[in-house]
Amino acid sequence: MSLTGMNVEHAGRRGLALGAALLSGLTAAGAAVANTSNGYNLMPGVTDISRDIYALHMEVFWICVGIAVVVFGAMIYSLINFRHSQGAVADTSMRHSTKVEIIWTIIPVIILVVMAIPAAEIILKMEDTRDSELSIRVTGYQWKWQYQYMDAAEGINFFSTLSQDSNFARQLHSGIDPRTVPNYLLDVDKPMVVPSGTKVRLLLTSQDVIHAWWVPDFGAKRSAIPGFVNELWFKVTPGKEGIYRGQCVALCGRDHGFMPVVVDVRTPEEFKKWVEAQKTAVKQAAAIPPEPPRSAQLLN
Amino acid sequence: MAQAHATEADKYYIPHGSPWPIYGSVTLFTLMLGAIATLNNWLPAWSLLPGFVMLALLFVFWFNTVIGENQHGIYNLAVDRSFRLGMMWFIFSEVMFFAAFFGALFYARELAVPWLGGEGVKIFSKLLLWKHYDGAWPTNGPGHVGPRADGSFETVPALGLPAINTAILLSSSITVTIAHHALITGHRTRLKIFLAATFLLGFTFVALQAMEYHEAYTELGLQLGTGIYGSTFFMLTGFHGMHVTVGAIMLTVIWFRVLNGHFTPQRHFGFEAVSWYWHFVDVVWLGLFIFVYWL
Amino acid sequence: MAQATDTLPHDDHHDQPDTGIKRWLFATNHKDIGTMYLVFSLIMFFVGGAMAMVIRAELFKPGLQLVDPMFFNQMTTLHALVMIFGAVMPAFVGLANWMIPLQIGAPDMALPRMNNFSFWILPFAFTLLLSTLLVPGGAPAGGWTLYPPLVLQGGDYFPMVIFAIHLMGISSIMGAINVIVTIMNMRAPGMDLLRMPLFCWSWLITAYLLIAVMPVLAGAVTMLLTDHFFKTSFFNAAGGGDPVMFEHIFWFFGHPEVYIMILPAFGIISEILPTFSRKPLFGAVSMVYATASIAFLSFIVWGHHMFVDGMPLAAQMFFMMSTMLIAVPTGVKVFNWTATMWRGSLSFEPPMLFAIAFLFMFSIGGFSGVMLALVPADFQYQNTYFVVAHFHYVLVPGAIFAIMAAVYYWLPKWTGHMYNLTLAKTHFWLSTIFVNVLFFPQHFLGLAGMPRRVPDYAVQFSDWNMVSSIGAFGFGLSQVLFAIVVIQCIRGGQKASSVVWGDALPTGLEWTLSSPPPYHSFITAPEIK
Ligand code: HEA
Ligand code: HEA
Ligand code: CUA
Ligand SMILES: [Cu+2]
C-alpha cells in the first residue's frame, strides 16, 4: 500500500471501518492457519492449551459483544427516542425499582460464572506440570536468552541473541528498511530446538532483571525472575513442526524490544539427531562455554 | 452533625491567606533536594541541614499560628471536630504505612523464604539455584547476605531489652491516660507529673532502642544489610523508633503548653491528638514485639 | 508572631481575595485552590500528552527513526506518571475543591491551609520528576510500575523519582483527608449523607481509598530506596527477599489507584446524566452501594496484574474470581445510568455528549478488563498492547472524558460566562472519533502479539500502529480546542444564569448560588428542603 509500502497480504485487511474489521476479522480468524499472525486477533496456536485459550478468548469476546449489543442498544434507543428536541417528556416518577436492580445484578453474576468455569478448567490443565519429558533451563539476560538442556539432552547449552541483520537494521538512523529484513526483530542467531508431541518443561530464571518468555502460538508465557525459578510447559501437537516466534514481554531495559524468542519444533526423530549433532559438537569444541558465574549478590 | 453555622456568633473559622503552606512546600522540596544530593554524592551530607532547619521552623510557625488562634477562642466546636477527624485519618494513613512493612515481613516469612527453601510452587528455585538453603526463619537469605564473613548473625532475644521496652511503652500509655483524666477533672498538678512521666518513658525507650541497635551492629552481626531479616527488623523498628521520637517531642511540647496554662477540661484537641498518636505508636510496638521479636 | 495577630480578627469573612500573586501563593479559598489544581492538571495533561506524541511518533512505522530506545522508555514511564499523578488525580482534587463545598452547603473546605499545602507540593514534586530528564543517565525508564531489579539499575534519577513520589503521596493524602473531613463535618444542616450528591459520595469513597493506599506506595518506594542505597534485601533473592514482593505491594496500591481514577468520574457522570435527561438518577442509593462495593473489591484483586509471575494455583483462582466480581457493581452503575436516560427527555449539550461517550467507551474498556481477568486468556494478553488498549479506554474516554464533561458542566458556574458551545461540540466530535482511531487498533496489535513498552516492532504490526499514531496526532491536536474554549470562557462571554442549563434539571445546591458564586460559598448554611 502506498502509505506504508506493505505487502499485498496485509493490504487487503486495511481500513478505518474498525468495528466491521473486528467482527469480520474475528470470524475469519477461526479458520486461519497457525503460525502466521493475521494481524488483528489471537491465533489458535499449536498446543492444546493455546487452542483452549483461543476458544475461551472467542467465547468471552462474543459474550461481551452480546452484552454490548443489549446495553448499547438500550442506550442508543434512548438517545433516539427520548429526545428533548422531539418533545419527549421525562417520566420523573421513575426513581428506582428493586426488582430490575436485582435482575441486573444476578444476570451478570450468571454470565461471569459461565466465563469462569472454562477458565478455571484451563488453569488446572496449565498448572499440571507432571510427567514432563524434556526440561530446559531458560535464563534471561539483558538482552539475550540462554538455553541449557537437561534430561536426555544434558550438556547442550547456548545463548540465543537477536540476529545480525535485524540488529543492524534496528539501529537509530540505520537507513535499512525493516521490511527488507526477513523476520525483522523476530529472528535469533540460534533458536531453541524442541521435539513435537513431547511435554517440554521450561525452568525459567534470570540473571539480572525480570524478563518474560512468550511464544504466542504455544499459549505459553511466564516471567523469568532473578533468584527464583518458574515452571512453564508446552506440548506441540505432532504435525505442527516449524519455527515459532515470540518476544521478551517484561520491560527489561534498553533493549527489551530486541530479545526475541525463537523455537524450532522438530519431530522427535529429527530432534534426536539434532541432540546427537550438538553433543558431538560440544565434545569437539576445544573451549566449552563456561557456565556464567552465579554470584550470590544478584543485585549490585 | 454540621451545625457549622448554627448561630451567627459561632462561625466556622476560615483563615486568611497564609504563607505557611507555600513555605512548607518549599521546605519539603529543600529537604528532598538535600537527600537527593546526599544520596547521589553530589554534595556532602550537610546539604540535608537547610531542609531540617526549615522543617523545624515550619512546625514552630504553623503550630504557633494555630495555637494562637485557638487561644484567642476563634475556633468553634466544628473547627475542633475538623481537627479531630483530620488527626484520625492521618493516623489511619500511618497505620497503612506500617502495614506495607508488616506485609513485607509476612510475605518474606510465609512465602518468599519458604519458596527459596524449596517449598510449594517454586521448588526448582532450591533445586537449581540455592541447593544448600533450608529456608528457616530467621534468615539472611540463601546468599547469607550480611556483614560477617561467614554469613552468620544473631537476633535480639525477645526477653531482653525488647521486653523491658514493651513494659516501658505500655506504662507510658497508662500514664498518658492518667494525665488525660487529670486534665478532664482539672487536676493540673497530676496532669503535669504524669505527662512528664510519659515523655520521659518515651525518651527512655528511644535510648534503650539505641543501645539495642548498637549491640546489634557491633556484636550480633545484625545490620540493615543482614538479608531480609535485617531489612525487615531495622525498617520496622526504625520507623517505629522515629515515630516514638516524634511522639515524645510532641508530648514535651504539650507539656510546656500545659505549664503555660493551655487546655481546658472541655477543649484540648492538641493534647488528645498527641495522646492518640502515642497510643497508635504503642499498638504498633505490640505488633512489632509479637511478630518481629517474639514469634 | 506577627502572622498570628494578623489572622485573629473575630469575624474573618472578609469578602475580598488577596491581590496579585499572594492570592495564589497564600490561598486558603477552596475556589482559588481548585482553580490552581485544575490549571496545573491541564498543563500536566499537555506535558504528558506531548510525551505520548513522542511515543506515537516513534511507533508510526517500524524501525527506529526518532529516539533512542532508552529515551523511548523514559517517555513511556514519565508519560504514565505525569498523566496519572499530574493530570487525572489533580483534576479530580480540583473538582472536589470547587464543588464539594458548593454541593454540601459549606463556606469552604474544612482545613483551608492544609488544602493549599497539598496543592503547592505538586508543582515541586513534578519539577523534581521532570528534572530527571536533565541529570546524567536520564529519566526513569523502567515503566511507571517501577519494578525492581530494573529500576535499581538506575543512575542519578533514582532518588529523585522516589522522593517525587513521596511528595505526590503526601499531597494526595492531605487532599484526601481534607475531602473526608469536609464531607463528614461541613454539611449544611439537613444534608444527610444519603441526600448528598453522588459526586460527593464518590469522592468520599475515593478519599478513603487514597488514604489507605498512598502510604503503601510510599512504603514500597521506600523499600526500593533502601535496597538501592542501604543494602537491604527486600527485593533480592540472595538475601531472602523477592522481586515479586514489590509487585504485590505496588499493586496493592496500584489497583485501588485505578479506581481512584474512575470513581470520581462515576460521580461526575451521575451528576450530568440526570440533568440533561431531566429525570432523577435512577437507583441513587444502589449507586452508592455499588461504588462502595467496587472500592472494597479493589483491595483484593491486585494479583491480576501478576498472573504470569508464577503464583500458586489457589491465588490465581482467587484473584480471577474477585476481579470478575467487580463487573457486577460496575454493571449496576452502567445499567442505572442507562435507566436514567430511559424515558427521559434528553438534550445534547457538551457535558452530556461527553457523558454519553463515557458510557459507551468506558464499557468497552471494562469488557476488555473482564477478558484480562481470565487467567488463561491473560497469559496471552499480558504485557501486550491489548492491555494498553484496555487501560486507555478506561482512562482516556473514561477518566479524561469525565473530567472534560465536568469542566463543560460547571465552567459557566465557575466563570459566570457561557462558553462557545459550537467549538465545544467540535472538540467533542473530534475527540471521540480520534480517540477510537487511536486506541481501538491497539486491541488488534495486542492480540496479534505486539508487546508493550517497545520502541520498535516486527513489520506485521505496521498497519495498525500507523492508524493508531494518526489517531493520536488527531486526538492531541483536538485538545488544543479544549484549551481555547476554556481560556475564552475565562476571559469573557455571554453571562451565565445561576442555573446555567436553562430548562434542564440541575439538582444540587451549587445551582442556587450566583454564577460565579460568592467568594465564600455559603456564609450562612442553606436551607435543605
Ligand atoms: C480507570 C482505570 C481502570 C479501570 C476502571 C479498570 C477496570 C478494570 N480492569 Fe484494568 N487496568 C488499568 C486501569 C483500569 N482498569 C490499568 C492502568 C492497567 C495496567 C497497569 C499496567 O500494567 O501498567 C490495568 C490492567 C488490568 C489487568 C492486568 C492486565 C495485565 O497486565 O495482564 C486486568 C486483569 O484482570 C484488569 C482488569 C480490570 C477489570 C476486570 C476492570 C473492571 O473494573 C471493569 C468493570 C466494567 C465492566 C465490565 C463494564 C460495564 C459492565 C457491564 C455492562 C455489566 C455486564 C458485564 C459483564 C457481565 C462482563 N485491568
Ligand atoms: C490517565 C492516564 C493516561 C492518559 C490520559 C494517557 C493518554 C495517552 N496515552 Fe498513555 N499510558 C498511560 C496512561 C495514560 N495515557 C499509562 C499508565 C501507560 C503505561 C506506561 C507504562 O508502560 O509504564 C501508558 C502508555 C502508553 C502507551 C504505550 C507505551 C509503551 O508501552 O511503550 C502509548 C502508546 O501509544 C500511550 C499513548 C497515549 C496517547 C496517545 C494518549 C493521548 O490520549 C494523549 C492526548 C493528549 C495530548 C496529545 C496533549 C494535548 C495536546 C497537545 C500537547 C498539542 C500538541 C499536539 C500534537 C503535537 C499532536 N500511552
Ligand atoms: Cu527481556 Cu524484556
Ligand atoms: Cu488492576
Side-chain angles (χ1 to χ4, degrees):
Chain A
M1 186 258 202
S2 50
L3 256 182
T4 60
M6 280 297 301
N7 57 32
V8 200
E9 190 200 330
H10 288 87
R13 302 207 190 90
R14 198 176 295 107
L16 281 181
L18 299 170
L22 177 74
L23 292 184
S24 60
L26 289 179
T27 358
V33 194
N35 194 27
T36 43
S37 168
N38 56 21
Y40 47 79
N41 194 11
L42 285 187
M43 301 304 297
V46 294
T47 66
D48 282 350
I49 297 282
S50 71
R51 280 184 288 263
D52 286 350
I53 295 178
Y54 176 78
L56 176 71
H57 162 73
M58 291 314 291
E59 179 200 320
V60 176
F61 169 74
W62 286 117
I63 291 178
C64 287
V65 170
I67 300 172
V69 168
V70 174
V71 179
F72 294 174
M75 290 178 191
I76 292 169
Y77 183 87
S78 315
L79 296 182
I80 294 173
N81 290 293
F82 307 126
R83 273 181 292 171
H84 188 60
S85 58
Q86 307 293 305
V89 181
D91 174 5
T92 48
S93 68
M94 207 180 125
R95 279 162 184 273
H96 75 101
S97 151
T98 314
K99 198 165 82 197
V100 300
E101 287 181 80
I102 289 176
I103 292 174
W104 67 43
T105 308
I106 289 177
I107 290 179
V109 172
I110 295 170
I111 297 175
L112 292 172
V113 171
V114 169
M115 293 177 179
I117 290 172
E121 280 169 358
I122 304 175
I123 301 179
L124 290 174
K125 233 169 156 180
M126 290 195 313
E127 286 297 310
D128 181 3
T129 48
R130 285 170 302 175
D131 307 324
S132 75
E133 296 152 280
L134 170 69
S135 296
I136 305 173
R137 176 169 167 178
V138 181
T139 311
Y141 292 80
Q142 285 171 318
W143 292 272
K144 53 183 177 277
W145 295 101
Q146 182 188 19
Y147 298 109
Q148 289 163 283
Y149 285 68
M150 301 160 82
D151 303 328
E154 184 82 44
I156 301 177
N157 174 3
F158 57 89
F159 286 90
S160 178
T161 324
L162 181 68
S163 68
Q164 283 284 317
D165 45 358
S166 284
N167 199 25
F168 287 137
R170 66 115 174 161
Q171 302 300 327
L172 189 55
H173 313 305
S174 69
I176 305 173
D177 182 356
R179 290 184 191 84
T180 62
V181 179
N183 293 309
Y184 178 60
L185 295 188
L186 293 177
D187 209 9
V188 292
D189 52 358
K190 199 161 185 234
M192 172 170 137
V193 181
V194 298
S196 60
T198 309
K199 190 162 182 178
V200 180
R201 175 170 63 186
L202 303 186
L203 299 168
L204 286 152
T205 184
S206 159
Q207 203 56 227
D208 34 52
V209 302
I210 300 175
H211 303 265
W213 195 93
W214 183 35
V215 175
D217 283 309
F218 299 170
K221 179 191 285 171
R222 189 134 302 181
S223 304
I225 294 161
F228 287 83
V229 176
N230 271 332
E231 285 181 67
L232 174 67
W233 66 267
F234 57 85
K235 183 174 182 175
V236 178
T237 314
K240 294 284 185 186
E241 293 78 12
I243 309 265
Y244 296 93
R245 298 170 198 280
Q247 278 173 270
C248 172
V249 276
L251 179 55
C252 54
R254 161 181 238 110
D255 287 351
H256 157 62
F258 310 101
M259 54 182 288
V261 173
V262 180
V263 184
D264 180 352
V265 183
R266 304 188 181 181
T267 59
E269 297 74 44
E270 299 264 329
F271 177 72
K272 231 183 220 142
K273 278 189 219 147
W274 178 81
V275 170
E276 293 314 318
Q278 292 295 308
K279 281 190 172 166
T280 27
V282 168
K283 266 185 221 134
Q284 283 163 357
I288 299 163
E291 192 177 328
R294 191 192 310 134
S295 61
Q297 189 70 32
L298 281 159
L299 326 168
N300 37 29
Chain B
M1 269 287 156
Q3 311 95 333
H5 304 284
T7 65
E8 268 297 304
D10 185 30
K11 276 186 175 163
Y12 196 89
Y13 174 68
I14 308 291
H16 278 231
S18 160
W20 308 134
I22 181 88
Y23 169 72
S25 313
V26 177
T27 300
L28 290 181
F29 189 57
T30 315
L31 197 61
M32 306 258 152
L33 281 183
I36 291 161
T38 311
L39 290 173
N40 277 343
N41 285 321
W42 294 343
L43 291 174
W46 55 254
S47 53
L48 277 163
L49 200 64
F52 276 114
V53 172
M54 287 171 74
L55 188 67
L57 291 177
L58 172 68
F59 281 113
V60 173
F61 292 151
W62 195 323
F63 283 161
N64 246 318
T65 307
V66 176
I67 293 167
E69 286 165 2
N70 190 15
Q71 293 301 311
H72 280 75
I74 56 178
Y75 287 173
N76 63 7
L77 278 173
V79 175
D80 201 57
R81 204 163 36 233
S82 289
F83 286 156
R84 273 159 207 277
L85 283 168
M87 188 67 193
M88 272 156 57
W89 287 100
F90 167 68
I91 290 179
F92 174 61
S93 79
E94 292 266 45
V95 170
M96 292 310 292
F97 182 75
F98 277 97
F101 288 90
F102 273 108
L105 173 67
F106 296 146
Y107 181 90
R109 278 188 75 161
E110 300 302 324
L111 297 168
V113 167
W115 281 338
L116 290 168
E119 268 178 43
V121 288
K122 306 215 179 174
I123 177 164
F124 281 95
S125 307
K126 177 184 169 99
L127 298 182
L128 294 183
L129 301 176
W130 314 109
K131 285 193 193 66
H132 305 292
Y133 185 57
D134 61 359
W137 190 266
T139 179
N140 54 354
H144 301 296
V145 177
R148 288 185 185 165
D150 66 350
S152 69
F153 72 100
E154 292 146 60
T155 59
V156 179
L159 283 179
L161 271 186
I164 299 175
N165 261 345
T166 309
I168 290 177
L169 268 198
L170 285 181
S171 30
S172 77
S173 238
I174 296 172
T175 52
V176 80
T177 311
I178 297 176
H180 191 191
H181 234 265
L183 172 57
I184 292 171
T185 50
H187 296 86
R188 302 289 290 195
T189 322
R190 201 191 299 162
L191 165 63
K192 286 171 202 162
I193 293 170
F194 277 91
L195 198 52
T198 311
F199 70 73
L200 289 176
L201 284 169
F203 285 122
T204 316
F205 174 94
V206 176
L208 290 179
Q209 189 81 350
M211 279 169 57
E212 179 188 299
Y213 276 18
H214 181 76
E215 192 192 322
Y217 259 73
T218 52
E219 279 157 41
L220 303 179
L222 176 58
Q223 303 185 355
L224 202 47
T226 308
I228 190 69
Y229 185 85
S231 311
T232 48
F233 176 83
F234 281 105
M235 292 301 278
L236 275 164
T237 57
F239 271 117
H240 176 261
M242 273 155 62
H243 281 75
V244 177
T245 313
V246 171
I249 293 174
M250 296 197 312
L251 284 166
T252 316
V253 172
I254 293 294
W255 187 66
F256 278 111
R257 288 185 63 187
V258 170
L259 294 187
N260 279 334
H262 289 196
F263 304 125
T264 66
Q266 294 78 31
R267 300 280 296 274
H268 45 261
F269 162 72
F271 183 97
E272 275 182 316
V274 176
S275 79
W276 290 342
Y277 191 80
W278 195 250
H279 289 306
F280 149 71
V281 165
D282 212 27
V283 171
V284 172
W285 174 261
L286 283 182
L288 285 180
F289 183 68
I290 295 171
F291 294 111
V292 175
Y293 291 100
W294 187 7
L295 293 182
Chain C
M1 288 300 317
Q3 184 59 29
T5 38
D6 253 350
T7 48
L8 285 181
H10 224 76
D11 186 351
D12 204 59
H13 296 300
H14 64 149
D15 263 334
Q16 288 306 309
D18 277 338
T19 46
I21 188 78
K22 265 176 82 178
R23 169 169 181 188
W24 307 105
L25 290 182
F26 296 175
T28 45
N29 180 283
H30 73 104
K31 302 193 193 70
D32 289 349
I33 297 172
T35 305
M36 288 195 289
Y37 263 112
L38 289 169
V39 170
F40 177 79
S41 149
L42 186 62
I43 295 171
M44 283 298 131
F45 178 62
F46 276 66
V47 171
M51 292 169 175
M53 294 300 117
V54 175
I55 297 174
R56 284 311 332 164
E58 178 56 63
L59 294 176
F60 188 69
K61 48 184 196 159
L64 286 176
Q65 289 86 27
L66 303 172
V67 297
D68 176 82
M70 211 58 195
F71 188 74
F72 182 92
N73 292 345
Q74 295 173 10
M75 285 295 111
T76 301
T77 308
L78 287 181
H79 158 68
L81 289 172
V82 166
M83 284 298 196
I84 291 174
F85 293 100
V88 174
M89 291 167 66
F92 283 140
V93 183
L95 292 169
N97 255 300
W98 255 102
M99 299 320 299
I100 288 176
L102 294 187
Q103 289 194 324
I104 62 173
D108 205 302
M109 296 291 278
L111 303 162
R113 279 179 290 227
M114 192 173 83
N115 200 9
N116 199 30
F117 197 13
S118 64
F119 169 74
W120 274 107
I121 289 175
L122 284 180
F124 291 103
F126 281 87
T127 308
L128 209 53
L129 182 67
L130 294 174
S131 59
T132 54
L133 282 166
L134 307 173
V135 301
W144 80 283
T145 47
L146 303 168
Y147 282 6
L150 183 61
V151 75
L152 299 176
Q153 294 181 335
D156 282 359
Y157 75 72
F158 179 76
M160 302 171 75
V161 196
I162 302 291
F163 289 126
I165 289 177
H166 275 131
L167 286 179
M168 296 169 202
I170 295 171
S171 159
S172 298
I173 291 171
M174 289 198 297
I177 290 179
N178 219 336
V179 167
I180 294 199
V181 174
T182 305
I183 293 178
M184 301 300 276
N185 196 31
M186 303 286 284
R187 275 171 289 126
M191 175 63 76
D192 29 284
L193 280 177
L194 279 177
R195 294 176 99 164
M196 199 166 66
L198 260 275
F199 177 68
C200 298
W201 255 113
S202 60
W203 239 114
L204 180 64
I205 294 168
T206 306
Y208 170 73
L209 288 181
L210 274 167
I211 301 179
V213 300
M214 292 309 292
V216 175
L217 174 67
V221 298
T222 304
M223 291 178 216
L224 286 179
L225 189 80
T226 58
D227 264 19
H228 189 74
F229 287 111
F230 303 110
K231 296 189 186 149
T232 56
S233 303
F234 288 107
F235 311 128
N236 174 9
D242 183 352
V244 175
M245 178 163 90
F246 178 84
E247 303 182 19
H248 281 286
I249 306 175
F250 180 86
W251 289 115
F252 181 83
F253 145 80
H255 190 84
E257 168 67 21
V258 308
Y259 292 106
I260 287 166
M261 292 190 282
I262 206 68
L263 295 186
F266 288 170
I268 290 163
I269 302 304
S270 302
E271 298 284 310
I272 292 173
L273 283 179
T275 301
F276 298 101
S277 305
R278 294 168 177 75
K279 190 162 156 290
L281 183 67
F282 189 81
V285 176
S286 50
M287 287 302 238
V288 171
Y289 286 121
T291 310
S293 328
I294 294 172
F296 168 75
L297 288 171
S298 76
F299 284 108
I300 54 166
V301 301
W302 77 88
H304 64 220
H305 295 273
M306 310 162 51
F307 286 141
V308 305
D309 284 326
M311 340 176 136
L313 180 68
Q316 295 185 30
M317 295 283 187
F318 173 78
F319 285 124
M320 175 172 87
M321 311 284 179
S322 58
T323 304
M324 293 174 80
L325 263 188
I326 297 192
V328 176
T330 317
V332 168
K333 300 198 78 100
V334 172
F335 301 139
N336 279 352
W337 286 324
T338 312
T340 304
M341 296 198 298
W342 192 261
R343 306 217 332 246
S345 172
L346 280 60
S347 58
F348 302 101
E349 285 82 354
M352 183 66 165
L353 289 174
F354 275 96
I356 293 168
F358 173 97
L359 289 189
F360 286 90
M361 288 186 272
F362 170 78
S363 300
I364 293 177
F367 291 141
S368 57
V370 171
M371 296 173 76
L372 287 164
L374 297 160
V375 178
D378 185 63
F379 268 68
Q380 295 288 49
Y381 309 144
Q382 203 264 349
N383 266 338
T384 68
Y385 262 78
F386 192 77
V387 178
V388 176
H390 156 66
F391 66 73
H392 280 97
Y393 260 90
V394 280
L395 283 168
V396 181
I400 297 281
F401 269 35
I403 292 166
M404 287 174 173
V407 170
Y408 282 136
Y409 187 47
W410 284 311
L411 192 59
K413 168 61 52 186
W414 300 336
T415 60
H417 306 295
M418 187 42 95
Y419 49 86
N420 183 335
L421 288 173
T422 323
L423 209 53
K425 283 184 186 170
T426 316
H427 169 230
F428 166 77
W429 284 110
L430 288 175
S431 297
T432 304
I433 292 167
F434 279 120
V435 85
N436 285 295
V437 179
L438 164 55
F439 292 121
F440 208 84
Q442 296 188 354
H443 291 111
F444 305 150
L445 285 170
L447 294 176
M450 177 167 161
R452 60 191 280 210
R453 297 166 164 177
V454 292
D456 194 5
Y457 47 82
V459 288
Q460 75 244 33
F461 306 127
S462 310
D463 292 4
W464 291 124
N465 267 304
M466 183 172 281
V467 173
S468 174
S469 290
I470 291 170
F473 304 143
F475 183 76
L477 286 176
S478 319
Q479 302 322 307
V480 177
L481 291 183
F482 180 65
I484 293 175
V485 174
V486 171
I487 293 170
Q488 273 184 356
C489 180
I490 295 172
R491 288 230 177 126
Q494 199 195 331
K495 273 226 62 45
S497 71
S498 63
V499 287
V500 178
W501 295 112
D503 65 344
L505 178 84
T507 47
L509 289 175
E510 70 262 39
W511 309 107
T512 63
L513 291 176
S514 59
S515 302
Y519 193 61
H520 287 290
S521 305
F522 288 97
I523 295 182
T524 40
E527 287 280 317
I528 316 282
K529 295 133 282 180

